[in-house]
């Protein structure tokens, strides 16, 4: 059934030669794939209506949302706030979130048109959907993005984009291989204070860069591989346990697994504190070091800190204790430094670097979403494109491998392999549970 | 079916949380996890006993126990554990966990076990084994995997297509191509993706001709758009010498997705800039706009002349694209044209010109912009002053001072913005003078902001100037100067501000009190000046009779606690 649906989508796509205008034809004429759809209203009516400050239907990008937890709902709001989008479908393996997502979308548009799915493959099979927002747990980010690319969608995917290095490598390759536009939800690349700090580093105003400090998430449980006791598995309608696990090792259901406080520190589903914030903060350090196509060449631990050294000699310091709210970074050169975080506060040395600039706090994704939508229309690469995000999260993963092995690790960023350390290399990938494949 | 794979074991476990054996296993697993999780973490976990692990795999242990062992074998297993793992591959309950260990093992015994399992497995297990061989890029597995393309189980067939693509040898590509003509619709997307992956690998291995052949095949209209787009990009990589011709053709074509993708490839690649530049004016307008984006992104200065020429286009989209491209490629000689466009009726053109002039990095742009100020209309002059300030140009401040007496209010406002941002002690007197000539309270407020900006950079000298200026000043000027002095929070500067609480003039007393509160709010943020803030607020409470002032002073005092 799954493949048949995707095949149907691709057949329809090829039936009319491409282009955005052509996809709009589907909007007016396509019928939703009915099988397995929990709520399948008419997808035509409201999508075709234009009103107020919204673009005409023919100019709108249609959006499907996969994963409607807290972050997914927030991002959905960011997509819906853009005048040229129309969210037409939501998907979540949890009934509660699925229904909340549908309610959110329907309330925004004042109708009941949003379709709701348990199975992302059915959403992806809809040929009338142009782009997908993926806000599942980390375990699914790579595979869901790859499935979306195979179905011909452009993708905005929350961070971190992988649980293992090989996953995000495959993701990046697939985006290029299938000509897709991808934006990772590292939205701090689109927020003023972080952009300004990066610009100070890249423009030489801090002198020669020496150290780039990236905060890891504070207060998370230690990373683990805990096995929980079996509990009665809910119905698929209430919670599709098998689909939630996806490519990860199977185990009996326990209601703790799907709680974010649990899975985000479990190795099967995430990378813990280093990937949780490092996907943002290490990413900003990579950007500041003009290292978007590489990553540090060796890693070691000093106390509670993990140090990476780039080939150009600059050090990446993954640590805690930085100031100015969540996800702070600090860039140090031989002539100055800058430190900032989500509070919007920023401190520089010399203070004159700041020159009357003031930044708002928070971490809104609206500008990042807007930039993604513009790239979908022009086919330009996004600022947080797949290769950029892969390199950033790779640095986090290698730091985690260093932590796991308790010894320094040398890294070849071209071969993307640990040098002279077979055990470390085994940890670069994880075998996917069938039928999923990268 | 997958969710039921462990059903018997699960049911057993659900019945038997009381089951002692499972309790033991679970407790042991938790202990292991806890040890793994804390302190210096995994590295200090107990030594791994491979023989014991093999015993768990070969005996009657539960799936959870075997899975725990497989996690460790993935990292530490040797060829000794391969036979036990291989025996698990045909078992739907155990196959994936066995692959979890085997797929990562770098020695030949592991990959041989996976090869051997192709003929011993079916359905999901076979799909998994084939996927693992693909992940290993096992060239010797091609002949084992290729027949699986015709497997009745679509997951197996898809896995085979994916694995052959990943392996990507000539033989693997041949197997995929051989099946293309007869492949069922259900397999064609996976087949196409496999072919794209194989072509990519062939090109990396120097087989560019074979790769190009595959890409050309996948560009046929019969394939889905994403496959065609991927093939187009791949063909440019495989045959870079022919890329300019193909990209220009795509730019002129009638498929917008290919046009825009071609422009993006121009952006990401090097060479042939002269060819693209020469073709630029001959292209349809949509293609010109797209190519201008691409030329700007590749940052090759040799495209400059063509981009400058495109500025003359009558098409708004081309003009905007050219203006944006000059933001990257532009030189000082482009400044007059761009400053001229800042007053364009088309807001998109005007905004783009402003943005490009702000971002241009070329030499001598600042003086060129400054030169344009003299002959500009008032509206453009105001924009140019702000533009110079945003560029932090040294020419901005003297031009701003000269504009403080301009007849146009917008120009005077822009001049004050410049001084707010960049002004120093040297501009204090001229700026203060404009306080008395301000047209209204709004402009007076702007002058105050400019003076405060100067004070933030001017240090003691500015404080001294402000203190001098207080002598003989009228009420409005005194109030403004008290605010300026208060903004510094310096003890010397605060003396007249605090003294104003006893001033004979009620306006001065009230506005002075507000200035004290404002300064105290700032001082209260710093532990070193917090007591001064408290003292200042208490002075306000002791002397001011204004209820609003008193209420606010108490609120700020309360916030310190």
């Amino acid at each position: 059934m799954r493949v048949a649906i995707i095949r149907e989508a691709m057949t329809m796509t090829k039936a009319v030669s491409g282009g955005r205008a052509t996809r709009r034809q589907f909007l007016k004429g396509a019928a939703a794939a009915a099988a397995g759809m929990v709520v399948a209203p008419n997808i035509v009516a409201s999508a075709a209506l234009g009103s107020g400050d919204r673009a005409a239907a023919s100019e709108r990008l249609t959006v499907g949302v996969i994963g409607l937890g807290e972050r997914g709902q927030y991002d959905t709001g960011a997509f819906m706030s853009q005048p040229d989008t129309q969210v037409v479908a939501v998907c979540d393996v949890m009934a509660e979130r699925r229904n909340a997502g549908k309610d959110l979308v329907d309330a925004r548009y004042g109708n009941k048109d949003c379709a709701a799915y348990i199975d992302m493959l059915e959403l992806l099979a809809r040929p009338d959907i142009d782009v997908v927002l993926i806000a599942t747990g980390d375990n699914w980010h790579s595979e869901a993005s790859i499935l979306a690319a195979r179905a011909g969608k452009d993708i905005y995917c929350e961070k971190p984009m992988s649980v293992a290095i090989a996953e995000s490598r495959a993701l990046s390759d697939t985006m290029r291989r299938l000509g897709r536009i991808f934006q990772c939800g590292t939205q701090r690349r689109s927020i003023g204070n972080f952009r300004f700090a990066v610009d100070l580093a890249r423009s030489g105003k801090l002198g020669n860069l020496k150290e780039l400090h990236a905060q890891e998430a504070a207060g998370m449980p230690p990373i683990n591989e805990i096995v929980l006791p079996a509990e009665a598995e809910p119905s698929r309608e209430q919670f599709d346990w098998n689909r939630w696990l996806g490519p990860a090792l199977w185990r009996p259901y326990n209601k703790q697994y799907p709680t974010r406080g649990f899975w985000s520190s479990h190795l099967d589903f995430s990378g813990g504190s280093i990937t949780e914030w490092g996907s943002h903060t290490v990413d900003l350090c990579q950007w500041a070091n003009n290292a978007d196509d590489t990553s540090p060449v060796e890693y070691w631990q000093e106390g509670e800190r993990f140090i990476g050294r780039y080939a150009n000699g600059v050090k990446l310091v993954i640590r805690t204790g930085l100031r100015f709210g969540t996800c702070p970074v600090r860039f140090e050169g031989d002539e100055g430094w800058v430190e900032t975080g989500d509070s919007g506060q920023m401190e520089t040395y010399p203070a004159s670097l700041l020159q009357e600039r003031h930044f708002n706090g928070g971490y809104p994704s609206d500008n990042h979403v807007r930039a993604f939508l513009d790239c979908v229309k022009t086919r330009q690469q996004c600022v947080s494109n797949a290769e950029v995000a892969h390199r950033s999260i790779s640095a986090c993963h290698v730091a985690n491998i260093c932590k796991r092995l308790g010894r320094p690790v040398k890294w070849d960023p071209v071969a993307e392999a640990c040098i002279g350390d077979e055990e470390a290399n085994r940890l670069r990938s994880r075998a996917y549970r069938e039928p999923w494949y990268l | 079916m997958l969710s039921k794979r462990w059903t018997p074991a699960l049911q057993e476990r659900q019945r038997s949380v009381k089951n002692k054996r499972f309790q033991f296993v679970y407790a042991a697993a938790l202990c292991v996890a806890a040890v793994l999780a804390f302190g210096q973490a995994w590295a200090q976990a107990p030594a791994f006993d491979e023989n014991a692990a093999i015993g768990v795999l070969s005996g009657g242990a539960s799936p959870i126990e075997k899975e725990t062992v497989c996690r460790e074998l993935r990292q530490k297993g040797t060829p000794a554990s391969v036979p036990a793992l291989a025996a698990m591959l045909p078992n739907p309950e155990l196959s994936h966990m066995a692959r979890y260990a085997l797929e990562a093992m770098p020695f030949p015994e592991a990959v041989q076990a996976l090869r051997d399992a192709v003929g011993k497995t079916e359905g999901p297990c076979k799909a998994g084994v084939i996927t693992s061989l693909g992940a290993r890029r096992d060239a010797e597995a091609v002949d084992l995997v290729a027949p699986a393309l015709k497997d009745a189980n679509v997951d197996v067939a898809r896995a085979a297509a994916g694995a052959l693509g990943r392996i990507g040898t000539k033989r693997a590509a041949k197997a995929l191509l051989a099946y293309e003509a007869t492949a069922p619709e259900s397999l064609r997307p996976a087949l196409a993706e496999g072919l794209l992956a194989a072509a990519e690998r062939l090109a990396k291995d120097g087989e560019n001709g074979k790769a190009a052949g595959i890409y050309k095949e996948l560009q046929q209209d019969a394939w889905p758009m994403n496959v065609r787009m991927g093939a187009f990009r791949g063909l440019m990589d495989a045959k870079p010498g022919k890329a300019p011709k193909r990209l220009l053709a795509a730019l002129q074509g009638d498929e917008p997705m290919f046009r825009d993708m071609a422009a993006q490839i121009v952006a990401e690649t090097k060479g042939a800039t002269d060819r693209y530049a020469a073709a630029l004016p001959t292209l349809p307008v949509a293609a010109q706009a797209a190519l201008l984006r691409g030329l700007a992104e590749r940052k090759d200065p040799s495209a400059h002349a063509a981009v400058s020429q495109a500025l003359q286009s009558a098409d708004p989209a081309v003009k905007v694209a050219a203006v944006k491209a000059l933001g990257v490629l532009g030189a000082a000689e482009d400044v007059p044209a761009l400053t001229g466009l800042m007053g364009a009726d088309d807001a998109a053109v005007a905004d783009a010109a402003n943005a490009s002039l702000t971002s241009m990095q070329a030499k001598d742009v600042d003086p060129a912009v400054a030169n344009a100020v003299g002959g500009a209309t008032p509206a453009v002059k105001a924009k140019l002053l702000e533009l110079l300030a945003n560029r932090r140009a040294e020419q901005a401040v003297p031009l701003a001072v000269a504009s403080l007496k301009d007849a146009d209010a917008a120009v005077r406002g822009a001049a004050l913005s410049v001084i707010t941002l960049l002004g120093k002690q040297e501009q204090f007197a001229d700026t203060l003078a404009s306080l008395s000539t301000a047209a209204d309270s709004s402009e007076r407020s702007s002058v105050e902001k400019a003076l405060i900006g100067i004070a933030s950079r001017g240090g003691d000298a500015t404080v001294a100037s402000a203190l001098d200026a207080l002598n003989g000043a009228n009420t409005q000027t005194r109030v403004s100067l008290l605010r300026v002095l208060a903004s510094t929070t310096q003890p010397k500067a605060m003396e007249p501000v605090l003294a104003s609480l006893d001033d004979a003039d009620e306006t001065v007393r009230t506005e002075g009190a507000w200035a004290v509160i404002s300064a105290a709010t700032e001082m209260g943020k710093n532990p070193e000046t917090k007591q001064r803030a408290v003292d200042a607020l208490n002075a306000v409470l002791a002397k001011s009779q204004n209820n609003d002032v008193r209420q606010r002073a108490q609120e700020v005092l309360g916030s310190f606690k």
Side-chain angles (χ1 to χ4, degrees):
Chain A
M1 172 62 80
R2 174 179 61 255
V3 172
I5 291 171
I6 287 208
R7 186 256 309 148
E8 182 187 355
M10 288 187 153
T11 304
M12 292 180 77
T13 307
K14 77 184 181 188
V16 283
S17 56
R20 292 182 293 280
T22 302
R23 285 204 291 261
R24 299 276 59 76
Q25 294 170 8
F26 286 120
L27 184 65
K28 296 171 183 167
M37 191 192 290
V38 178
V39 182
N42 184 340
I43 63 167
V44 177
S46 71
L49 297 174
S51 62
D53 59 352
R54 305 205 58 220
S58 60
E59 298 301 320
R60 265 180 252 159
L61 293 165
T62 46
V63 182
V65 182
I66 301 171
L68 286 136
E70 187 179 343
R71 187 67 196 177
Q73 291 188 41
Y74 175 85
D75 285 345
T76 301
F79 271 83
M80 289 193 297
S81 72
Q82 302 300 321
D84 52 352
T85 62
Q86 176 93 20
V87 177
V88 298
V90 296
C91 168
D92 200 294
V93 293
M94 290 186 195
E96 186 181 349
R97 292 178 175 184
R98 188 167 62 241
N99 294 335
K102 174 175 166 53
D103 291 346
L104 177 73
V105 175
D106 286 346
R108 171 80 182 196
Y109 298 136
N111 57 36
K112 298 288 182 187
D113 289 353
C114 180
Y117 301 90
I118 298 174
D119 187 347
M120 72 174 72
L121 295 173
E122 290 167 10
L123 181 149
L124 292 175
R126 280 181 53 164
D128 63 317
I129 291 176
D130 300 317
V131 304
V132 290
L133 158 62
I134 295 170
T136 59
D138 305 356
N139 171 46
W140 261 108
H141 285 169
S142 291
E143 180 67 358
S145 296
I146 288 170
L147 289 168
R150 288 171 183 160
K153 316 302 183 194
D154 293 318
I155 299 126
Y156 183 104
C157 180
E158 264 304 328
K159 63 86 205 173
M161 67 190 281
S162 67
V163 173
I165 296 165
E167 293 177 5
S168 44
R169 165 45 59 215
L171 188 161
S172 179
D173 288 349
T174 301
M175 296 306 139
R176 183 177 175 85
R177 191 176 293 148
L178 291 171
R180 298 299 89 201
I181 298 301
F182 178 94
Q183 174 96 301
C184 186
T186 46
Q187 78 279 4
R188 286 169 182 84
R189 285 202 176 218
S190 300
I191 295 177
N193 58 318
F194 293 106
R195 291 178 70 102
F196 180 73
V198 166
D199 185 57
L200 287 179
R202 289 176 63 119
S203 61
K205 290 174 182 160
L206 305 178
N208 295 312
L209 287 181
K210 296 295 181 187
E211 291 190 356
L212 307 165
H213 294 246
Q215 175 119 340
E216 64 175 299
M220 288 181 69
I223 201 159
N224 64 78
E225 293 179 289
I226 289 173
V227 179
L228 296 171
E231 294 178 349
E233 188 175 322
S235 67
R236 177 177 180 266
E237 165 71 22
Q238 281 303 309
F239 182 65
D240 191 337
W241 172 237
N242 179 52
R243 198 46 69 93
W244 186 84
L245 284 173
L249 282 162
W250 199 86
R251 83 236 32 222
Y253 172 81
N254 181 294
K255 62 177 175 294
Q256 270 203 64
Y257 284 117
T259 58
R260 182 167 174 77
F262 187 86
W263 66 253
S264 58
S265 293
H266 196 292
L267 266 181
D268 286 351
F269 309 113
S270 185
S273 59
I274 290 182
T275 62
E276 175 62 19
W277 282 8
S279 49
H280 285 295
T281 58
V282 170
D283 179 64
L284 291 165
C285 292
Q286 292 260 121
W287 198 18
N289 193 29
N290 198 15
D292 276 344
D293 58 351
T294 185
S295 51
V297 295
E298 61 179 331
Y299 299 74
W300 67 93
Q301 187 168 3
E302 290 180 4
E304 296 299 312
R305 297 181 175 193
F306 288 88
I307 316 294
R309 185 185 61 78
Y310 290 92
N312 66 358
V314 175
K315 281 184 181 175
L316 169 69
V317 183
I318 301 173
R319 54 171 286 197
T320 56
L322 293 172
R323 300 170 294 162
F324 307 137
T326 47
C327 287
V329 290
R330 178 184 174 92
F331 308 143
E332 295 179 354
D334 57 10
E335 294 176 12
W337 52 262
V338 57
E339 186 170 336
T340 190
D342 283 338
S343 69
Q345 293 169 284
M346 179 182 290
E347 196 169 308
T348 63
Y349 178 82
S352 59
L353 290 173
L354 206 46
Q355 281 202 326
E356 302 292 322
R357 281 179 169 80
H358 297 287
F359 298 97
N360 296 323
Y363 40 96
S365 56
D366 299 55
N367 290 344
H368 209 52
V369 167
R370 179 67 256 163
F372 163 68
L373 296 170
D374 289 342
C375 287
V376 168
K377 291 180 175 180
T378 64
R379 312 313 292 174
Q380 289 175 284
Q381 285 287 327
C382 297
V383 68
S384 297
N385 64 63
E387 184 64 19
V388 163
H390 161 66
R391 292 293 186 170
S392 299
I393 201 64
S394 291
C396 297
H397 288 319
V398 182
N400 257 341
I401 289 172
C402 175
K403 184 178 185 180
R404 179 169 189 160
L405 298 178
R407 61 174 177 257
V409 171
K410 290 187 186 297
W411 177 252
D412 178 347
V414 176
E416 296 193 278
C418 301
I419 298 170
D421 194 331
E422 174 209 300
E423 193 176 350
N425 277 328
R426 294 194 196 191
L427 300 175
R428 291 175 301 161
S429 63
R430 56 171 180 160
Y432 265 30
R433 189 163 63 100
E434 62 276 358
W436 312 113
Y437 69 96
L438 294 169
Chain B
M1 186 180 83
L2 283 168
S3 63
K4 305 296 184 190
R5 58 192 299 185
W6 276 17
T7 298
L10 172 59
Q11 287 171 342
E12 180 189 344
R13 249 167 274 128
Q14 286 171 344
R15 279 195 302 271
S16 66
V17 176
K18 297 172 188 170
N19 178 312
K20 289 182 179 175
R21 181 162 173 274
F22 177 70
Q23 283 182 324
F24 170 76
V25 169
Y26 174 57
L30 278 182
C31 288
V32 169
V35 168
L36 294 179
F38 290 100
Q40 295 303 305
W42 301 293
Q44 293 180 4
F48 176 58
D49 183 343
E50 187 166 25
N51 286 332
I54 294 168
V56 170
L57 297 183
S58 306
S62 71
I64 284 285
E65 289 172 289
K66 292 183 178 180
E67 189 170 288
T68 302
V69 164
C70 287
R71 288 175 190 277
E72 299 204 67
L73 289 171
R74 169 203 182 208
Q75 182 179 338
K76 298 175 179 174
T78 72
S81 60
V82 169
L85 291 165
M88 296 160 64
L89 289 172
N91 184 334
E93 278 193 66
L94 309 176
S95 190
H96 176 232
M97 63 178 79
R99 286 194 299 109
Y100 195 81
L102 283 169
E103 189 180 298
M105 292 179 174
F107 28 81
E109 291 86 347
V111 75
Q112 186 60 48
L114 291 165
R115 286 181 205 141
D116 293 344
V118 174
K120 299 173 186 173
T121 52
E122 58 183 16
C125 295
K126 187 168 189 172
V129 165
I130 288 172
T131 293
S132 286
L133 285 166
R136 297 287 297 246
R137 294 201 61 235
D138 179 26
E140 290 186 37
V142 169
D143 291 344
L144 290 166
V145 172
L149 286 168
K150 299 177 183 176
D151 198 288
N153 183 313
V154 73
D155 285 335
V156 175
R158 285 173 62 236
L164 289 168
R166 274 198 152 210
I167 293 168
T169 59
K170 282 190 280 187
R171 196 169 181 81
K174 188 177 177 183
L176 289 165
L177 285 167
Y179 195 46
E180 185 202 329
T182 57
E185 279 296 313
S186 61
L187 191 62
R188 288 181 68 78
L191 188 67
E193 193 194 350
L195 280 166
L196 285 169
E200 196 176 289
R201 179 61 60 180
L202 287 169
K204 280 182 185 169
D205 292 344
E207 298 284 352
N208 294 53
K210 295 200 180 303
I214 294 172
Y215 286 134
K216 286 178 188 172
E217 164 59 29
L218 294 176
Q219 281 193 273
Q220 304 299 315
D221 287 346
W223 292 102
M225 176 60 80
N226 57 344
V227 172
R228 293 174 58 213
M229 290 179 74
F232 178 74
R233 177 180 276 281
L235 185 59
M236 299 309 112
D237 291 341
K239 291 289 183 183
K242 294 184 178 178
K245 181 181 177 183
R246 287 177 169 136
L247 290 170
L248 286 168
L251 281 163
Q252 296 176 73
D254 56 5
E255 294 189 280
M257 298 281 263
F258 281 88
R259 179 195 65 211
D260 291 336
M261 189 181 206
Q264 180 58 25
I265 295 171
V266 169
E268 293 173 13
T269 52
K270 293 180 180 174
T273 301
D274 54 344
R275 197 163 166 185
Y276 298 129
L280 182 64
T282 70
L283 299 174
V285 288
Q288 284 189 50
L291 182 54
L292 282 163
R293 281 199 308 269
L295 289 171
E297 278 194 54
R298 66 167 32 195
K299 298 178 181 173
D300 183 343
S302 65
H304 173 251
V307 173
S308 292
Q309 185 63 33
L311 209 57
Q312 308 307 317
S313 174
D315 182 83
V318 174
K319 190 181 277 290
V320 168
V323 170
K324 288 181 176 177
L326 286 175
V328 178
L329 298 169
E333 67 197 66
D334 299 305
V335 170
L338 291 173
T339 54
L341 290 173
M342 288 176 75
D345 293 336
D346 186 334
V349 173
D351 290 348
N354 201 337
S356 286
L357 284 164
T358 303
S359 62
M360 281 170 73
Q361 300 291 314
K363 189 181 175 188
D364 295 333
V365 168
D366 287 344
V369 175
N371 281 341
V373 171
T377 63
V380 172
K381 186 175 181 180
K383 287 183 180 179
L384 287 170
L385 285 172
E386 289 177 357
L387 174 70
L388 285 165
N390 288 332
R391 290 183 61 85
R392 304 296 192 267
E394 62 182 37
Q395 295 84 354
V397 173
L399 284 168
V401 171
S403 301
L404 283 173
K405 294 178 181 173
D406 197 284
D408 189 275
V411 173
R412 293 198 304 274
L416 289 168
S417 295
V418 171
I419 293 171
T420 302
L421 199 59
L422 302 175
K424 294 179 181 172
Q425 166 64 14
E426 291 76 13
Q427 286 80 49
F428 183 86
D430 287 324
T431 308
L432 181 65
S434 65
L435 196 59
S436 58
T437 59
D440 51 29
S441 61
S442 172
E443 187 167 332
R444 198 172 301 116
S445 175
S446 296
V447 176
E448 269 185 35
K449 284 184 185 173
L451 289 168
I452 288 170
I454 291 170
S456 71
R457 291 177 287 273
D460 294 343
T462 303
V463 170
S465 296
L467 291 171
D468 285 347
L470 275 173
N471 297 321
N474 63 27
T475 298
Q476 279 189 340
T477 301
R478 284 178 66 203
V479 167
S480 293
L481 287 167
L482 290 173
R483 292 186 186 124
V484 172
L485 288 163
S487 72
T488 70
T489 72
Q490 289 184 17
K492 184 80 176 170
M494 287 300 294
E495 288 175 8
V497 184
L498 289 164
S500 73
L501 296 172
D502 298 315
D503 199 278
D505 186 325
E506 184 182 350
T507 300
V508 174
R509 285 200 308 273
T510 304
E511 296 304 321
W514 283 116
V516 171
I517 293 171
S518 176
T521 303
E522 287 304 308
M523 290 190 289
K525 295 175 182 174
N526 185 340
E528 293 179 6
T529 54
K530 194 169 183 177
Q531 188 55 51
R532 284 177 54 214
V534 171
D535 294 344
L537 291 168
N538 282 330
V540 170
L541 289 170
K543 295 179 178 179
S544 177
Q545 302 302 311
N546 183 303
N547 288 336
D548 290 342
V549 165
R550 293 177 60 82
Q551 182 182 341
R552 181 59 190 153
Q554 281 173 334
E555 286 172 0
V556 175
L557 259 180
S559 72
F560 292 169
K561 297 170 184 170

